[in-house]
Amino acid sequence: GDSVTQMEGPVTLSEEAFLTINCTYTATGYPSLFWYVQYPGEGLQLLLKATKADDKGSNKGFEATYRKETTSFHLEKGSVQVSDSAVYFCALSRNSGNTPLVFGKGTRLSVIA
Amino acid sequence: DTGVSQNPRHKITKRGQNVTFRCDPISEHNRLYWYRQTLGQGPEFLTYFQNEAQLEKSRLLSDRFSAERPKGSFSTLEIQRTEQGDSAMYLCASSETTGTDYGYTFGSGTRLTVV
């Protein structure tokens, strides 16, 4: 079945460091790919998405490119801030979306000043 | 619109008791999803509705679990004869099925503790 594997955390970075959180997927067909973020005490929020190969999703300085050849959707940010501390989830949706999401286990990021 | 609302926020129950959670989706969203999230894991899909029709149920949804969405508005998730393994965060999300800017909106969840 469909699955998502993301790097285990926790990840601890200093402010302004470069961030990469790896995500790879297994799916039939052409899934849509997502990154969700969960800030402490809050619900899941969509961070960015990509719906086809080579699409780049971006938001709030975060980026991820849909790489079909490597079945990957790695999350990157050039300069993290303390306010980016959260748990990040990679997810996929079969077909074009609006079908149930399959999530990775999440990666906790802590950014220290 | 205040987003997806879930009640209660927290529920502590004794093993063997029944519990019911409620989710109020964004009013114009016709799809509604239930997920379960345990500590250190990502959310796991339980079931989803389009309007009042339940379209899919996960194998995780045992016979003790039942979900309804009467009239295609709010939804309830009931767990009968709760077990300690049911302790988790239960998340609800809603989405549209038209347009290109789809995307789920999640509620803040109901945290269930079975003692």
Side-chain angles (χ1 to χ4, degrees):
Chain A
D2 299 343
S3 66
V4 174
T5 302
Q6 60 182 107
M7 64 186 285
E8 294 190 17
V11 174
T12 302
L13 295 173
S14 298
E15 213 167 18
E16 299 183 5
F18 184 85
L19 168 72
T20 300
I21 301 178
N22 291 337
C23 171
T24 57
Y25 68 90
T26 301
T28 54
Y30 301 94
S32 296
L33 302 174
F34 306 81
W35 277 100
Y36 279 81
V37 59
Q38 191 170 35
Y39 297 104
E42 299 185 17
L44 283 162
Q45 300 174 27
L46 178 64
L47 181 59
L48 53 85
K49 66 178 189 272
T51 58
K52 61 183 187 295
D54 300 325
D55 267 4
K56 178 185 282 188
S58 61
N59 186 25
K60 299 181 182 180
F62 290 89
E63 293 183 339
T65 300
Y66 188 142
R67 300 287 189 201
K68 189 164 178 60
E69 64 276 12
T70 54
T71 62
S72 65
F73 193 55
H74 305 322
L75 182 68
E76 296 181 336
K77 187 175 185 183
S79 176
V80 295
Q81 305 300 312
V82 172
S83 57
D84 294 327
S85 298
V87 182
Y88 293 81
F89 294 93
C90 185
L92 69 82
S93 173
R94 284 175 267 137
N95 305 316
S96 60
N98 286 311
T99 51
L101 291 167
V102 176
F103 286 88
K105 291 186 176 182
T107 302
R108 181 175 298 278
L109 170 66
S110 295
V111 181
I112 54 177
Chain B
D1 198 334
T2 56
V4 177
S5 176
Q6 292 189 246
N7 287 288
R9 291 295 303 272
H10 304 275
K11 177 72 176 178
I12 300 174
T13 190
K14 291 184 178 180
R15 189 175 52 187
Q17 298 294 303
N18 299 342
V19 294
T20 300
F21 311 139
R22 176 178 171 127
C23 172
D24 287 89
I26 292 174
S27 56
E28 59 266 29
H29 285 181
N30 55 4
R31 285 206 175 173
L32 185 149
Y33 308 79
W34 285 99
Y35 289 82
R36 181 175 69 186
Q37 184 177 18
T38 53
L39 198 62
Q41 301 295 317
E44 297 172 295
F45 167 69
L46 293 178
T47 187
Y48 82 106
F49 295 83
Q50 179 158 320
N51 299 315
E52 66 275 11
Q54 190 171 17
L55 296 187
E56 187 174 343
K57 293 192 290 186
S58 160
R59 289 173 295 176
L60 293 176
L61 211 67
S62 75
D63 291 344
R64 296 185 296 107
F65 288 69
S66 62
E68 295 182 340
R69 194 183 181 197
K71 303 178 183 177
S73 56
F74 70 92
S75 175
T76 58
L77 178 67
E78 181 183 18
I79 308 175
Q80 296 183 326
R81 305 181 303 281
T82 52
E83 302 172 355
Q84 287 188 322
D86 297 331
S87 296
M89 177 76 84
Y90 290 84
L91 299 171
C92 176
S94 67
S95 72
E96 297 184 60
T97 53
T98 58
T100 57
D101 191 18
Y102 59 83
Y104 292 47
T105 301
F106 279 86
S108 297
T110 294
R111 182 170 295 284
L112 172 66
T113 302
V114 181
V115 297

